[in-house]
């Protein structure tokens, strides 16, 4: 077994590129993927910042694209195939997968975490990764893409699919007035998704100039820099005092959830995809009295890869622009620092 | 001014048929309606039981059908017209009414409560009622209906529309597996609504024999009498261990909300219409991890009256059977007792 390098989180603030044994085929449904590009996610920061406690060192990172290197005997995918991985594995056969909720797969789990069986899954900020249920998890491309496509393809692993999930859950319809709370990569992809679904007005709540700029380029029609009550007041002023038809909550904190809910008109839809941290609340009284629709969760991105891929391939959807920084996997620690200090929107890593 | 009789709640447990001044036309958009049938709602019991505090005596009751007696100069409805009233008044012209969320009307309010302007509205458990915004509120029938139709028509004022709202918010689709939590009139109407929308399996959670019987007659395919963890386990057992596609929450308590949420499969829809009491919670973590869709609120029944009326008129929808007891308005106090003690499912009152 040849050793490979894989990012391990040892404690809050302590991520290291460690050398660990190369992954090998264990089950006949496994594949080994050589990772071509990976990246750091806003949700990786919950552990990095200690919001989520790290009990013992474990692999981290859940977004990757790569090339199939080896497969088990039951895998239809061929070695050499270029694949996009959702941020979780899924058997593709259980009732939840059949229902399209791949993230609730009876056997699956999240990269860097545990499968339902308790098995530790590899992390994506690595050179190689073992993919259980390869056929139920990976989405194959017909050909190897051009290098210029890699950034946009990598977003289909998580942030673009998650932004799309937010927009779908928020019921974005043609002509709708939409508010997007959160100017991280997911929020920015949420803007792209809302635009793609035909939103009329898209208000991006952002205080950071480079993100405001990208938000406008992605399709935002208005920027609201204020937060809290002032933010809600500004949104309502822009929308004739009524509030938004749809709100995309792309952060996961109490403040962002409150902001999104308060921005909605009666009968409005909230789509929330920010991983809950900092005790966000869904106030039943306010939801009841305003007849709100609240939907969200861990985006089942696998189907969205298939849905969004044609738009990425023909160049009409360019979510890869959320990667404003590129580094070598060797510099993964600096990538976390850049994300944590918000000097980068999102960092793409090349092993 | 001739005095009329109207039900007034003076304090918890103390409702009386008091004599008060007859309502008169005040604004040109007003109508006076002579009430033909009214009834007691499960939500009236929150005040009756003291869950909701009564600061000072006020009219109570919000469901009625009747005949237009007099109109202001701007009202298109003609005296003599038979009308169904939603449980709230609405101007029919503001943005919220245009959006179909009549219960959030910028000027409206609930019968027995206050309009947005602070004006006290009449109660429906009365002989007459003044209806502001008559054209935006009342739904007219072409002819006076037969007496045998009155019970079903009266349910369109609230409980049938509310059950329909629960089913719509719970995204009930043809063939769906549905759980209905709550065996009051709204829950029973929710069963009818789910059946009407094509649900495949409808599990009614009920411990009361007469209600179980009506639930089955209304279209329930299974009865689950257990509550709490046992109830959820029984529901999941009936549904192959997966959980329901849709859950209708028709009570409004912490227990019923938990029951409904826990019965759902990942990606399932909750429609909640029980007026929140007893601190129901929407646990964001569970909703996020299971990708649930949670929608609900005060049913905007006005549109539903128009949607459901043809089915009631042609006899395919018979929600009036929820009225298992009929009394004279003179006996309104006994009607509250019967509802409170659950010896009646719902009491219809004739002034």
């Amino acid at each position: 077994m040849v050793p490979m390098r894989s990012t391990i989180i040892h404690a809050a603030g302590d991520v290291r590129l460690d050398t660990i044994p190369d992954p090998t085929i264990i089950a006949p449904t496994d594949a080994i993927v050589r990772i071509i590009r990976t990246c750091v996610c806003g949700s990786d920061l919950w552990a990095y910042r200690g919001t989520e406690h790290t009990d013992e060192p474990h692999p981290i990172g859940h977004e990757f694209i790569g090339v199939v290197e080896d497969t088990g005997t039951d895998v239809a995918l061929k070695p050499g195939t270029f694949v996009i991985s959702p941020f979780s594995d899924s058997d593709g056969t259980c009732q939840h997968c059949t229902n399209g909720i791949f993230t609730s797969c009876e056997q699956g789990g999240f990269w860097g975490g545990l499968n339902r069986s308790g098995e530790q899954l590899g992390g994506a900020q690595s050179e190689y990764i073992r993919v259980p249920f390869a056929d139920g998890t990976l989405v194959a491309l017909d050909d190897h893409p051009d290098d210029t496509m890699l950034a946009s393809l990598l977003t289909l692993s998580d942030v673009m699919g998650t932004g799309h999930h937010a927009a779908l859950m928020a019921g974005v319809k043609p002509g709708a007035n939409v508010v997007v709370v959160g100017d991280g990569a997911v929020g920015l992809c949420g803007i792209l998704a809302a635009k793609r679904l035909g939103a009329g007005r898209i208000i991006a709540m952002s205080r950071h100039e480079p993100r405001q700029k990208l938000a406008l380029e992605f399709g935002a029609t208005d920027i609201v820099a204020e937060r809290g009550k002032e933010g809600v007041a500004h949104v309502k002023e822009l929308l004739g005092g009524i509030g938004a038809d749809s709100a995309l909550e792309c952060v996961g904190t109490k403040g962002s959830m409150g902001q999104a809910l308060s921005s909605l008109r009666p009968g409005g839809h909230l789509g929330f995809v920010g991983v809950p941290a900092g005790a966000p609340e869904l106030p039943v009284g306010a939801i009841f009295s305003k007849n709100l629709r609240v939907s969200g969760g861990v985006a089942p991105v696998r189907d969205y890869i298939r849905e969004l891929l044609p738009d990425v391939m023909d160049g009409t959807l360019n979510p890869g622009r959320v990667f404003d920084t590129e580094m070598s996997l060797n510099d993964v620690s600096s990538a976390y620092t850049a994300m944590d200090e918000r000097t980068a929107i999102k960092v793409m890593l090349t092993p």
Side-chain angles (χ1 to χ4, degrees), chain A:
Chain A
M1 219 183 290
V2 188
M4 69 142 179
R5 292 174 312 151
S6 174
T7 305
I8 306 292
I9 182 162
H10 289 260
D14 181 10
V15 291
R16 304 179 208 162
L17 194 62
D18 289 345
T19 298
I20 64 167
D22 251 23
T24 53
I25 300 289
I26 299 173
T29 48
D30 285 356
I32 305 298
V33 173
R34 178 167 57 87
I35 293 174
I36 301 291
R37 292 289 186 279
T38 179
C39 54
V40 184
C41 182
S43 66
D44 293 330
L45 296 178
W46 298 134
Y48 185 76
R49 289 171 177 163
T51 311
E52 200 179 281
H53 187 68
T54 299
D55 289 322
E56 50 185 47
H58 63 81
I60 190 166
H62 52 262
E63 300 153 284
F64 68 95
I65 52 178
V67 175
V68 176
E69 194 79 1
D70 193 8
T71 58
T73 50
D74 289 354
V75 175
L77 273 172
K78 299 295 169 217
T81 306
F82 190 95
V83 291
I84 302 172
S85 176
F87 56 79
S88 59
D89 68 328
S90 49
D91 61 23
T93 55
C94 74
Q95 190 59 50
H96 301 315
C97 286
T98 307
N99 289 336
I101 314 293
F102 300 95
T103 41
S104 292
C105 172
E106 288 182 356
Q107 303 195 76
F110 303 104
W111 304 121
L114 305 179
N115 254 354
R116 296 283 190 274
S117 64
E119 172 192 42
Q120 174 69 52
L121 292 167
Q125 290 155 5
S126 303
E127 292 177 314
Y128 294 89
I129 192 165
R130 176 182 152 254
V131 178
F133 320 113
D135 289 332
T137 301
L138 302 168
V139 177
L141 265 65
D142 295 335
D143 299 299
H144 280 235
D146 194 86
D147 269 10
T148 58
M149 300 299 296
L150 296 180
S152 284
L153 293 171
L154 179 57
T155 66
L156 297 180
S157 186
D158 184 347
V159 291
M160 184 61 220
T162 297
H164 182 58
H165 190 55
L168 286 183
M169 294 299 100
V172 174
K173 292 195 172 50
N177 292 323
V178 178
V179 172
V180 180
V181 181
D183 61 2
V186 170
L188 291 164
C189 287
I191 294 170
L192 273 182
K195 168 97 175 159
R196 181 175 172 276
L197 293 169
R201 192 105 175 232
I202 303 175
I203 302 174
M205 305 199 74
S206 171
R207 304 195 286 194
H208 303 81
E209 203 274 331
R211 294 163 192 243
Q212 292 176 345
K213 197 161 165 283
L214 192 52
L216 292 169
E217 288 171 24
F218 273 6
T221 53
D222 305 85
I223 300 287
V224 167
E226 300 94 326
R227 293 193 184 177
K229 285 184 182 168
E230 291 76 24
V232 172
H234 192 172
V235 167
K236 293 216 167 160
E237 185 200 317
L238 289 170
L239 299 177
I242 294 298
D245 301 312
S246 300
L248 282 60
E249 193 289 314
C250 304
V251 183
T253 62
K254 185 168 179 166
S256 58
M257 187 68 95
Q259 195 82 61
L261 282 167
S262 302
S263 299
L264 286 171
R265 67 163 172 84
H269 291 58
L270 174 77
F272 73 103
V273 295
V275 179
E281 285 169 19
L282 292 172
V284 67
I287 292 170
F288 186 84
S289 66
K290 282 178 73 179
N291 253 298
L292 302 182
R293 304 188 188 198
V294 173
S295 308
V298 197
V301 301
R302 189 169 191 268
D303 265 353
Y304 301 155
I305 297 175
R306 290 184 283 221
E307 182 178 348
L308 300 170
L309 189 56
D311 287 15
V312 168
M313 295 308 287
D314 72 13
T316 51
L317 194 62
N318 290 294
R321 295 171 65 201
V322 295
F323 291 111
D324 58 343
T325 309
E326 295 187 32
M327 294 184 186
S328 159
L329 179 63
N330 295 329
D331 301 319
V332 64
S333 177
S334 306
Y336 273 81
T337 308
M339 294 278 293
D340 183 37
E341 294 174 354
R342 290 176 75 90
T343 54
I345 296 176
K346 194 166 176 74
V347 184
M348 183 159 71
L349 298 166
T350 305

